[in-house]
Amino acid sequence: MNDAVLARVADTIAQRRGAADPASSYVAKLAAKGLDAMLKKVGEEATEFVMAAKDGDAAKLTCEAADLWFHSLLALAELGVRPEAVLAELARREGLSGLAEFAARKEPSA
């Protein structure tokens, strides 16, 4: 697994958002409903991810994580954000203390 998979999924989402028929494409159907519908799905998938984790079912957790990532990619695409930007942000944070990074985000800008 590498970040090329995320890029390919994002490319497919971009293609289907703009050109596919909502009657035959889940991506096009959800995109036609707008950002609020996409965000609702992200919330639903996040909840299902949490429930699978609490159940301790690794296989189901993996599937729910994939669903969550997919719907997150769809919402990101709606807002013009590529997965590469998210990966770059994760890379920026790599090696930083999570507590220090979180505190830095809360500091008022000068």
Side-chain angles (χ1 to χ4, degrees):
M1 160 70 185
N2 59 40
D3 55 355
V5 172
L6 292 175
R8 287 193 307 269
V9 172
D11 291 343
T12 300
I13 287 170
Q15 176 200 20
R16 291 182 182 166
R17 277 181 65 243
D21 179 1
S24 62
S25 167
Y26 175 75
V27 169
K29 181 178 179 179
L30 195 53
K33 293 180 181 180
L35 182 61
D36 284 349
M38 292 176 214
L39 297 177
K40 181 178 177 186
K41 283 301 295 182
V42 170
E44 289 173 10
E45 298 302 340
T47 299
E48 291 172 6
F49 175 86
V50 169
M51 304 270 300
K54 290 183 75 62
D55 290 344
D57 184 336
K60 186 170 183 179
L61 181 62
T62 301
C63 290
E64 294 302 342
D67 289 347
L68 178 56
W69 285 16
F70 175 82
H71 287 90
S72 295
L73 286 170
L74 184 55
L76 287 166
E78 184 70 12
L79 296 170
V81 178
R82 292 281 306 177
E84 295 85 353
V86 178
L87 292 170
E89 176 61 14
L90 286 170
R92 184 191 70 77
R93 294 178 185 189
E94 191 174 9
L96 296 176
S97 160
L99 296 174
E101 194 282 329
F102 185 71
R105 283 190 272 154
K106 293 194 169 256
E107 291 177 5
S109 36

XYZ file of all heavy atoms in Angstrom:
806
model
N 0.853 -1.182 0.000
C 0.000 0.000 0.000
C 0.887 1.230 0.000
O 1.858 1.311 0.721
C -0.898 -0.050 1.240
C -1.523 1.240 1.699
S -2.775 1.812 0.584
C -3.145 3.352 1.338
N 0.541 2.177 -0.820
C 1.254 3.441 -0.817
C 0.298 4.569 -1.148
O -0.874 4.343 -1.442
C 2.459 3.387 -1.772
C 2.052 3.071 -3.194
O 1.046 3.569 -3.674
N 2.822 2.250 -3.871
N 0.826 5.789 -1.124
C -0.043 6.937 -1.342
C -0.586 7.008 -2.765
O -1.527 7.743 -3.030
C 0.658 8.224 -0.945
C 1.987 8.431 -1.636
O 2.438 7.545 -2.366
O 2.571 9.500 -1.418
N -0.038 6.211 -3.698
C -0.563 6.176 -5.056
C -2.006 5.668 -5.079
O -2.802 6.093 -5.921
C 0.325 5.334 -5.956
N -2.346 4.789 -4.166
C -3.723 4.286 -4.089
C -4.669 5.442 -3.777
O -5.717 5.587 -4.422
C -3.848 3.168 -3.028
C -5.310 2.793 -2.804
C -3.034 1.960 -3.422
N -4.317 6.276 -2.815
C -5.169 7.418 -2.482
C -5.307 8.364 -3.675
O -6.396 8.874 -3.942
C -4.606 8.174 -1.272
C -4.650 7.430 0.052
C -3.955 8.242 1.143
C -6.071 7.110 0.462
N -4.214 8.588 -4.391
C -4.253 9.464 -5.564
C -5.164 8.879 -6.642
O -5.956 9.609 -7.260
C -2.853 9.700 -6.105
N -5.076 7.567 -6.861
C -5.925 6.929 -7.875
C -7.401 6.998 -7.484
O -8.264 7.265 -8.323
C -5.492 5.480 -8.112
C -4.194 5.353 -8.882
C -3.951 3.929 -9.377
N -4.028 2.912 -8.353
C -2.998 2.487 -7.633
N -1.798 3.024 -7.789
N -3.153 1.530 -6.728
N -7.696 6.757 -6.203
C -9.087 6.855 -5.746
C -9.578 8.295 -5.908
O -10.696 8.529 -6.382
C -9.236 6.366 -4.289
C -10.634 6.649 -3.759
C -8.933 4.879 -4.189
N -8.742 9.260 -5.558
C -9.120 10.673 -5.712
C -9.361 11.015 -7.179
O -10.300 11.754 -7.507
C -8.046 11.579 -5.118
N -8.543 10.479 -8.079
C -8.735 10.715 -9.515
C -10.067 10.126 -9.988
O -10.800 10.755 -10.770
C -7.581 10.108 -10.320
C -6.262 10.841 -10.121
O -6.267 11.996 -9.627
O -5.216 10.247 -10.458
N -10.383 8.927 -9.511
C -11.650 8.289 -9.877
C -12.827 9.096 -9.355
O -13.810 9.314 -10.070
C -11.700 6.842 -9.339
O -10.617 6.108 -9.907
C -13.017 6.168 -9.672
N -12.712 9.562 -8.116
C -13.774 10.393 -7.536
C -13.955 11.652 -8.369
O -15.088 12.038 -8.705
C -13.461 10.736 -6.067
C -13.670 9.505 -5.177
C -14.315 11.908 -5.579
C -13.169 9.664 -3.749
N -12.855 12.317 -8.733
C -12.936 13.545 -9.524
C -13.623 13.282 -10.870
O -14.482 14.072 -11.297
C -11.539 14.124 -9.742
N -13.265 12.192 -11.501
C -13.859 11.850 -12.791
C -15.358 11.598 -12.650
O -16.165 12.116 -13.414
C -13.179 10.616 -13.378
C -13.823 10.153 -14.671
C -13.503 8.713 -15.005
O -13.107 7.939 -14.141
N -13.707 8.332 -16.244
N -15.729 10.821 -11.661
C -17.143 10.452 -11.515
C -17.995 11.597 -10.988
O -19.179 11.676 -11.324
C -17.262 9.221 -10.622
C -16.694 7.996 -11.325
C -16.831 6.748 -10.536
N -16.205 5.640 -11.266
C -15.927 4.488 -10.729
N -16.211 4.247 -9.462
N -15.355 3.553 -11.458
N -17.411 12.464 -10.180
C -18.161 13.630 -9.685
C -18.623 14.490 -10.845
O -19.725 15.025 -10.834
C -17.295 14.489 -8.762
C -17.222 14.036 -7.351
C -16.363 14.965 -6.493
N -16.960 16.285 -6.396
C -16.392 17.410 -6.855
N -15.214 17.389 -7.426
N -17.008 18.556 -6.725
N -17.761 14.632 -11.851
C -18.061 15.558 -12.925
C -18.748 14.965 -14.135
O -19.442 15.678 -14.847
N -18.543 13.683 -14.384
C -18.996 13.137 -15.658
C -19.968 11.966 -15.556
O -20.652 11.666 -16.512
C -17.780 12.707 -16.480
N -20.025 11.315 -14.442
C -20.842 10.100 -14.343
C -22.314 10.438 -14.122
O -22.673 11.506 -13.612
C -20.328 9.214 -13.213
N -23.140 9.499 -14.477
C -24.581 9.610 -14.285
C -24.931 9.218 -12.849
O -24.579 8.118 -12.413
C -25.268 8.675 -15.281
C -26.779 8.668 -15.168
O -27.346 9.393 -14.328
O -27.403 7.921 -15.940
N -25.609 10.107 -12.126
C -25.988 9.770 -10.746
C -26.830 8.497 -10.629
O -26.857 7.876 -9.577
C -26.788 10.996 -10.283
C -26.265 12.107 -11.121
C -25.952 11.482 -12.464
N -27.462 8.087 -11.707
C -28.254 6.852 -11.672
C -27.369 5.609 -11.674
O -27.806 4.542 -11.248
C -29.209 6.808 -12.866
N -26.102 5.773 -12.123
C -25.233 4.604 -12.206
C -23.941 4.749 -11.409
O -23.121 3.836 -11.400
C -24.887 4.318 -13.669
O -24.183 5.408 -14.216
N -23.757 5.881 -10.725
C -22.533 6.113 -9.962
C -22.860 6.629 -8.571
O -23.499 7.673 -8.415
C -21.640 7.140 -10.681
O -20.600 7.593 -9.833
N -22.405 5.887 -7.572
C -22.605 6.316 -6.184
C -21.954 7.671 -5.939
O -22.539 8.547 -5.283
C -22.034 5.271 -5.227
C -22.101 5.691 -3.773
C -23.314 5.675 -3.094
C -20.966 6.115 -3.099
C -23.390 6.070 -1.761
C -21.035 6.515 -1.773
C -22.246 6.497 -1.113
O -22.310 6.891 0.203
N -20.742 7.867 -6.461
C -20.032 9.142 -6.269
C -20.840 10.288 -6.866
O -21.052 11.314 -6.211
C -18.613 9.087 -6.883
C -17.984 10.462 -6.939
C -17.733 8.133 -6.092
N -21.291 10.122 -8.094
C -22.071 11.176 -8.747
C -23.384 11.429 -8.003
O -23.806 12.594 -7.853
C -22.340 10.802 -10.195
N -24.002 10.361 -7.531
C -25.270 10.503 -6.796
C -25.072 11.296 -5.508
O -25.833 12.220 -5.211
C -25.838 9.116 -6.487
C -27.157 9.132 -5.763
C -27.664 7.710 -5.539
C -28.962 7.709 -4.789
N -29.471 6.348 -4.583
N -24.034 10.961 -4.751
C -23.783 11.666 -3.500
C -23.325 13.099 -3.773
O -23.746 14.036 -3.082
C -22.756 10.914 -2.658
C -22.637 11.314 -1.198
C -23.976 11.279 -0.471
C -21.643 10.415 -0.480
N -22.498 13.294 -4.803
C -22.028 14.641 -5.149
C -23.195 15.536 -5.561
O -23.215 16.724 -5.234
C -20.989 14.565 -6.260
N -24.160 14.961 -6.250
C -25.330 15.735 -6.671
C -26.139 16.240 -5.475
O -26.814 17.268 -5.565
C -26.209 14.899 -7.595
N -26.040 15.532 -4.372
C -26.766 15.934 -3.159
C -26.054 17.050 -2.402
O -26.637 17.659 -1.516
C -26.979 14.731 -2.239
C -27.914 13.697 -2.826
C -28.092 12.529 -1.872
C -29.010 11.480 -2.458
N -29.188 10.356 -1.535
N -24.773 17.268 -2.698
C -24.047 18.381 -2.105
C -23.210 18.018 -0.891
O -23.220 16.878 -0.404
N -22.481 19.018 -0.432
C -21.528 18.840 0.657
C -22.177 18.339 1.942
O -21.620 17.468 2.612
C -20.766 20.147 0.920
C -19.704 20.104 2.011
C -18.612 19.096 1.672
C -19.112 21.490 2.234
N -23.340 18.857 2.294
C -23.977 18.409 3.538
C -24.235 16.905 3.536
O -24.023 16.236 4.555
C -25.284 19.164 3.791
C -25.057 20.580 4.293
O -23.911 20.932 4.643
O -26.036 21.354 4.315
N -24.663 16.369 2.402
C -24.905 14.922 2.313
C -23.595 14.148 2.447
O -23.548 13.106 3.108
C -25.584 14.591 0.990
N -22.528 14.685 1.841
C -21.224 14.028 1.952
C -20.744 14.030 3.399
O -20.244 13.023 3.896
C -20.198 14.736 1.073
C -20.448 14.593 -0.392
S -19.232 15.560 -1.292
C -20.225 16.084 -2.663
N -20.892 15.156 4.059
C -20.441 15.264 5.448
C -21.270 14.377 6.370
O -20.738 13.808 7.330
C -20.479 16.711 5.907
C -19.540 17.657 5.146
C -19.723 19.084 5.627
C -18.095 17.206 5.270
N -22.547 14.231 6.070
C -23.387 13.318 6.850
C -22.857 11.897 6.730
O -22.779 11.163 7.720
C -24.834 13.393 6.364
C -25.770 12.500 7.143
C -27.203 12.635 6.655
C -28.101 11.683 7.412
N -29.461 11.663 6.883
N -22.450 11.499 5.504
C -21.887 10.162 5.314
C -20.566 10.004 6.055
O -20.305 8.944 6.640
C -21.682 9.866 3.817
C -22.947 9.519 3.084
C -23.660 8.310 3.657
C -22.879 7.028 3.512
N -23.582 5.844 4.023
N -19.733 11.044 6.075
C -18.480 10.978 6.833
C -18.799 10.723 8.304
O -18.184 9.875 8.950
C -17.636 12.259 6.654
C -16.459 12.280 7.626
C -17.140 12.384 5.222
N -19.783 11.441 8.841
C -20.183 11.248 10.232
C -20.702 9.845 10.495
O -20.360 9.223 11.507
N -21.529 9.338 9.592
C -22.058 7.979 9.743
C -20.922 6.955 9.725
O -20.903 6.030 10.557
C -23.038 7.658 8.611
C -24.347 8.408 8.710
C -25.230 8.204 7.470
O -24.920 7.331 6.625
O -26.229 8.930 7.359
N -20.007 7.124 8.793
C -18.900 6.173 8.683
C -17.964 6.268 9.889
O -17.441 5.247 10.348
C -18.137 6.379 7.377
C -18.953 6.149 6.121
C -19.569 4.764 6.011
O -19.116 3.825 6.683
O -20.523 4.616 5.220
N -17.774 7.472 10.411
C -16.944 7.630 11.612
C -17.575 6.896 12.790
O -16.880 6.219 13.565
C -16.752 9.112 11.932
N -18.883 6.994 12.908
C -19.586 6.291 13.983
C -19.459 4.781 13.819
O -19.206 4.055 14.796
C -21.072 6.705 14.001
O -21.146 8.121 14.240
C -21.847 5.960 15.070
N -19.606 4.296 12.587
C -19.473 2.861 12.343
C -18.048 2.385 12.614
O -17.846 1.278 13.127
C -19.897 2.536 10.912
C -21.396 2.726 10.706
C -21.834 2.609 9.260
O -20.996 2.265 8.390
O -23.027 2.854 8.991
N -17.066 3.234 12.330
C -15.672 2.921 12.631
C -15.484 2.753 14.140
O -14.874 1.790 14.603
C -14.772 4.037 12.085
C -13.319 3.898 12.441
C -12.474 3.129 11.651
C -12.794 4.532 13.549
C -11.128 3.001 11.975
C -11.459 4.414 13.880
C -10.616 3.639 13.087
N -16.035 3.681 14.904
C -15.924 3.625 16.363
C -16.593 2.366 16.898
O -16.036 1.667 17.757
C -16.522 4.899 17.011
C -16.652 4.745 18.523
C -15.678 6.119 16.660
N -17.767 2.052 16.390
C -18.492 0.867 16.857
C -17.697 -0.408 16.552
O -17.602 -1.301 17.398
C -19.870 0.799 16.201
C -20.708 2.040 16.416
S -21.751 2.054 17.848
C -22.796 0.704 17.607
N -17.111 -0.490 15.365
C -16.310 -1.668 15.010
C -15.088 -1.775 15.911
O -14.712 -2.875 16.334
C -15.897 -1.610 13.540
N -14.481 -0.636 16.219
C -13.313 -0.649 17.111
C -13.716 -1.123 18.502
O -13.011 -1.933 19.120
C -12.681 0.738 17.169
N -14.846 -0.648 18.990
C -15.302 -1.057 20.313
C -15.640 -2.546 20.352
O -15.467 -3.197 21.374
C -16.496 -0.206 20.757
C -16.101 1.227 21.073
C -17.259 2.044 21.573
C -17.668 1.749 22.968
N -16.746 1.963 24.049
N -16.098 -3.088 19.218
C -16.397 -4.521 19.141
C -15.133 -5.362 19.047
O -15.188 -6.582 19.219
C -17.283 -4.819 17.927
C -18.695 -4.287 18.094
O -19.093 -3.955 19.226
O -19.407 -4.191 17.068
N -14.007 -4.724 18.726
C -12.750 -5.448 18.614
C -12.656 -6.327 17.383
O -11.846 -7.254 17.334
N -13.450 -6.032 16.384
C -13.484 -6.830 15.158
C -12.558 -6.190 14.129
O -12.931 -5.224 13.460
C -14.922 -6.892 14.651
C -15.107 -7.773 13.439
O -14.134 -7.998 12.693
O -16.249 -8.228 13.219
N -11.347 -6.735 13.988
C -10.336 -6.133 13.112
C -10.772 -6.098 11.651
O -10.520 -5.108 10.950
C -9.015 -6.873 13.255
N -11.416 -7.150 11.172
C -11.846 -7.183 9.774
C -12.906 -6.120 9.505
O -12.840 -5.388 8.509
C -12.373 -8.570 9.414
N -13.870 -6.010 10.402
C -14.916 -5.003 10.228
C -14.326 -3.603 10.387
O -14.690 -2.677 9.658
C -16.047 -5.222 11.228
C -17.216 -4.291 10.991
C -18.433 -4.653 11.810
C -19.563 -3.701 11.449
N -20.781 -3.988 12.165
N -13.410 -3.440 11.324
C -12.757 -2.148 11.526
C -12.026 -1.710 10.259
O -12.100 -0.552 9.853
C -11.782 -2.214 12.700
C -11.043 -0.923 13.033
C -12.005 0.178 13.448
C -10.020 -1.190 14.132
N -11.354 -2.648 9.611
C -10.646 -2.344 8.371
C -11.619 -1.870 7.293
O -11.361 -0.867 6.609
C -9.868 -3.580 7.882
O -8.942 -3.955 8.898
C -9.145 -3.308 6.587
N -12.735 -2.555 7.162
C -13.747 -2.157 6.173
C -14.330 -0.790 6.490
O -14.523 0.042 5.593
C -14.856 -3.204 6.100
S -14.323 -4.751 5.346
N -14.604 -0.554 7.756
C -15.167 0.745 8.150
C -14.145 1.869 7.956
O -14.507 2.985 7.579
C -15.676 0.711 9.587
C -16.854 -0.215 9.814
C -18.080 0.078 8.959
O -18.204 1.195 8.398
O -18.933 -0.815 8.838
N -12.869 1.582 8.190
C -11.829 2.582 7.943
C -11.779 2.932 6.463
O -11.656 4.101 6.087
C -10.475 2.081 8.436
N -11.890 1.914 5.609
C -11.905 2.169 4.163
C -13.110 3.025 3.773
O -12.987 3.961 2.967
C -11.906 0.849 3.400
N -14.275 2.721 4.346
C -15.465 3.533 4.073
C -15.268 4.979 4.529
O -15.626 5.922 3.821
C -16.692 2.951 4.776
C -17.179 1.653 4.174
O -16.743 1.292 3.058
O -18.005 0.979 4.832
N -14.698 5.141 5.716
C -14.455 6.471 6.262
C -13.467 7.244 5.383
O -13.689 8.409 5.053
C -13.948 6.378 7.698
C -13.607 7.685 8.408
C -14.791 8.647 8.423
C -13.134 7.389 9.830
N -12.384 6.598 5.012
C -11.397 7.257 4.143
C -12.028 7.635 2.804
O -11.818 8.736 2.298
C -10.202 6.341 3.913
C -9.277 6.218 5.074
C -9.511 6.561 6.378
C -7.952 5.685 5.046
N -8.412 6.262 7.150
C -7.450 5.732 6.357
C -7.169 5.159 4.036
C -6.175 5.281 6.683
C -5.897 4.705 4.351
C -5.410 4.777 5.665
N -12.808 6.722 2.209
C -13.441 6.994 0.919
C -14.343 8.218 0.999
O -14.255 9.131 0.171
C -14.247 5.783 0.435
C -14.995 6.071 -0.830
C -14.355 6.002 -2.049
C -16.331 6.433 -0.788
C -15.036 6.297 -3.223
C -17.018 6.737 -1.947
C -16.376 6.663 -3.173
N -15.221 8.246 1.997
C -16.151 9.371 2.109
C -15.419 10.665 2.474
O -15.818 11.744 2.056
C -17.278 9.032 3.088
C -18.233 8.046 2.507
N -18.055 6.688 2.649
C -19.332 8.201 1.747
C -19.027 6.055 2.006
N -19.815 6.948 1.454
N -14.330 10.539 3.219
C -13.506 11.714 3.504
C -12.872 12.244 2.220
O -12.816 13.456 1.994
C -12.418 11.384 4.532
O -13.009 11.064 5.777
N -12.393 11.331 1.366
C -11.823 11.745 0.077
C -12.866 12.439 -0.787
O -12.562 13.419 -1.477
C -11.244 10.539 -0.667
C -9.936 9.980 -0.128
C -9.612 8.644 -0.806
C -8.801 10.964 -0.308
N -14.091 11.969 -0.736
C -15.165 12.601 -1.498
C -15.426 14.024 -0.995
O -15.546 14.963 -1.788
C -16.432 11.744 -1.416
C -17.633 12.193 -2.237
C -17.274 12.361 -3.710
C -18.762 11.192 -2.095
N -15.481 14.200 0.320
C -15.680 15.540 0.883
C -14.486 16.442 0.580
O -14.653 17.628 0.254
C -15.927 15.449 2.393
N -13.284 15.900 0.675
C -12.095 16.686 0.327
C -12.167 17.150 -1.123
O -11.882 18.315 -1.429
C -10.825 15.862 0.561
C -10.416 15.632 2.013
C -9.362 14.536 2.099
C -9.909 16.918 2.646
N -12.560 16.246 -2.016
C -12.666 16.593 -3.436
C -13.673 17.713 -3.655
O -13.444 18.623 -4.452
C -13.054 15.360 -4.257
N -14.758 17.659 -2.938
C -15.794 18.699 -3.060
C -15.227 20.067 -2.709
O -15.654 21.091 -3.247
C -16.981 18.356 -2.160
C -18.140 19.301 -2.267
C -18.906 19.227 -3.579
O -18.699 18.276 -4.368
O -19.728 20.129 -3.821
N -14.245 20.081 -1.809
C -13.642 21.342 -1.364
C -12.302 21.622 -2.053
O -11.578 22.540 -1.674
C -13.480 21.322 0.153
C -14.818 21.254 0.899
C -14.608 20.981 2.368
C -15.612 22.542 0.699
N -11.980 20.821 -3.061
C -10.777 21.062 -3.845
C -9.478 20.685 -3.168
O -8.422 21.219 -3.490
N -9.542 19.740 -2.222
C -8.338 19.308 -1.496
C -7.966 17.904 -1.965
O -8.798 16.990 -1.916
C -8.572 19.316 0.030
C -7.336 18.825 0.767
C -8.975 20.706 0.498
N -6.739 17.741 -2.397
C -6.235 16.442 -2.834
C -5.678 15.667 -1.645
O -5.224 16.264 -0.664
C -5.114 16.637 -3.867
C -5.543 17.197 -5.195
C -6.155 16.186 -6.089
N -5.276 15.018 -6.265
C -5.612 13.954 -6.969
N -6.775 13.875 -7.560
N -4.767 12.932 -7.085
N -5.676 14.339 -1.709
C -5.112 13.556 -0.608
C -3.626 13.854 -0.394
O -3.127 13.737 0.721
C -5.337 12.106 -1.029
C -5.649 12.138 -2.475
C -6.224 13.481 -2.763
N -2.931 14.268 -1.442
C -1.523 14.612 -1.303
C -1.323 15.742 -0.296
O -0.321 15.773 0.422
C -0.916 14.998 -2.660
C -0.866 13.861 -3.659
C -2.149 13.657 -4.475
O -3.177 14.322 -4.205
O -2.117 12.804 -5.378
N -2.281 16.661 -0.213
C -2.190 17.755 0.762
C -2.307 17.215 2.183
O -1.605 17.673 3.091
C -3.269 18.806 0.494
N -3.177 16.236 2.381
C -3.328 15.627 3.704
C -2.072 14.836 4.051
O -1.570 14.912 5.186
C -4.587 14.728 3.759
C -4.721 14.058 5.115
C -5.841 15.543 3.430
N -1.548 14.097 3.083
C -0.315 13.350 3.325
C 0.844 14.289 3.640
O 1.666 13.989 4.516
C 0.018 12.475 2.120
C -0.957 11.318 1.876
C -0.673 10.663 0.530
C -0.897 10.316 3.003
N 0.905 15.432 2.969
C 1.960 16.414 3.252
C 1.822 16.958 4.671
O 2.824 17.161 5.368
C 1.918 17.546 2.232
N 0.590 17.160 5.111
C 0.378 17.648 6.480
C 0.790 16.591 7.495
O 1.404 16.904 8.522
C -1.082 18.061 6.681
C -1.426 18.497 8.087
C -0.652 19.707 8.600
O -0.006 20.428 7.812
O -0.685 19.938 9.834
N 0.468 15.330 7.226
C 0.913 14.253 8.117
C 2.436 14.175 8.146
O 3.031 13.995 9.214
C 0.317 12.914 7.672
C -1.170 12.717 7.960
C -1.675 11.462 7.253
C -1.443 12.666 9.443
N 3.057 14.327 6.999
C 4.525 14.303 6.939
C 5.117 15.467 7.730
O 6.125 15.304 8.426
C 4.996 14.353 5.487
N 4.463 16.628 7.650
C 4.936 17.785 8.402
C 4.892 17.513 9.904
O 5.775 17.908 10.646
C 4.085 19.025 8.080
C 4.579 20.304 8.762
C 3.580 21.434 8.635
N 2.367 21.228 9.415
C 2.266 21.386 10.730
N 3.308 21.721 11.460
N 1.106 21.195 11.346
N 3.875 16.799 10.332
C 3.699 16.521 11.757
C 4.560 15.361 12.255
O 4.730 15.192 13.463
C 2.239 16.174 12.044
C 1.297 17.318 11.816
C -0.111 16.863 12.082
N -1.078 17.897 11.763
C -2.357 17.809 12.058
N -2.822 16.734 12.677
N -3.182 18.779 11.725
N 5.061 14.562 11.332
C 5.832 13.384 11.704
C 7.022 13.781 12.567
O 7.769 14.698 12.236
C 6.326 12.657 10.453
C 6.896 11.311 10.711
C 7.230 10.576 9.422
O 7.171 11.180 8.335
O 7.535 9.390 9.510
N 7.165 13.102 13.681
C 8.274 13.378 14.578
C 7.996 14.487 15.582
O 8.793 14.720 16.478
N 6.867 15.172 15.428
C 6.495 16.211 16.397
C 5.702 15.580 17.530
O 4.965 14.621 17.322
C 5.615 17.284 15.741
C 6.210 18.121 14.627
C 5.139 19.043 14.058
C 7.384 18.932 15.133
N 5.828 16.148 18.694
C 4.970 15.730 19.795
C 3.539 16.110 19.446
O 3.267 17.245 19.047
C 5.397 16.442 21.080
O 4.342 16.430 22.023
N 2.634 15.165 19.577
C 1.227 15.461 19.321
C 0.701 16.572 20.204
O -0.081 17.415 19.775
N 1.129 16.581 21.450
C 0.679 17.625 22.373
C 1.207 18.991 21.957
O 0.481 19.988 21.985
C 1.117 17.293 23.800
C 0.500 16.029 24.397
C 1.115 15.733 25.761
C -1.006 16.150 24.498
N 2.467 19.043 21.539
C 3.053 20.316 21.115
C 2.401 20.797 19.821
O 2.115 21.989 19.662
C 4.558 20.175 20.925
N 2.150 19.882 18.884
C 1.530 20.260 17.617
C 0.128 20.786 17.856
O -0.277 21.796 17.301
C 1.512 19.051 16.672
C 1.209 19.402 15.223
C -0.246 19.660 14.932
O -1.104 19.045 15.589
O -0.535 20.492 14.048
N -0.623 20.126 18.717
C -1.988 20.560 19.015
C -1.979 21.934 19.685
O -2.763 22.808 19.358
C -2.694 19.539 19.905
C -4.136 19.867 20.155
C -5.072 19.745 19.157
C -4.551 20.304 21.404
C -6.410 20.062 19.396
C -5.881 20.618 21.653
C -6.811 20.491 20.641
N -1.057 22.150 20.630
C -0.952 23.444 21.317
C -0.596 24.552 20.328
O -1.113 25.668 20.431
C 0.087 23.369 22.426
N 0.264 24.255 19.365
C 0.666 25.258 18.379
C -0.527 25.695 17.525
O -0.626 26.854 17.123
C 1.778 24.723 17.497
N -1.451 24.794 17.242
C -2.641 25.146 16.469
C -3.572 26.068 17.235
O -4.331 26.811 16.658
C -3.421 23.892 16.071
C -2.778 23.153 14.927
C -3.678 22.070 14.408
N -3.458 20.840 15.165
C -4.354 19.887 15.319
N -5.536 19.998 14.810
N -4.056 18.795 16.007
N -3.518 26.028 18.560
C -4.397 26.853 19.387
C -3.820 28.232 19.685
O -4.515 29.093 20.187
C -4.718 26.124 20.691
C -5.564 24.899 20.464
C -6.131 24.410 21.773
C -7.158 23.378 21.522
N -8.514 23.835 21.685
N -2.522 28.419 19.420
C -1.914 29.719 19.702
C -2.474 30.767 18.763
O -2.646 30.516 17.572
C -0.378 29.639 19.502
C 0.310 28.791 20.542
C 1.795 28.663 20.284
O 2.326 29.317 19.352
O 2.438 27.886 21.000
N -2.781 31.957 19.313
C -3.282 33.020 18.430
C -2.194 33.464 17.461
O -1.019 33.483 17.798
C -3.655 34.155 19.406
C -2.931 33.846 20.663
C -2.660 32.372 20.674
N -2.625 33.760 16.228
C -1.618 34.219 15.254
C -1.272 35.675 15.505
O -2.066 36.457 15.983
C -2.130 34.011 13.835
O -3.513 34.228 13.736
N -0.045 36.005 15.166
C 0.472 37.359 15.427
C -0.009 38.328 14.409
O -0.430 38.066 13.359
C 1.989 37.317 15.429
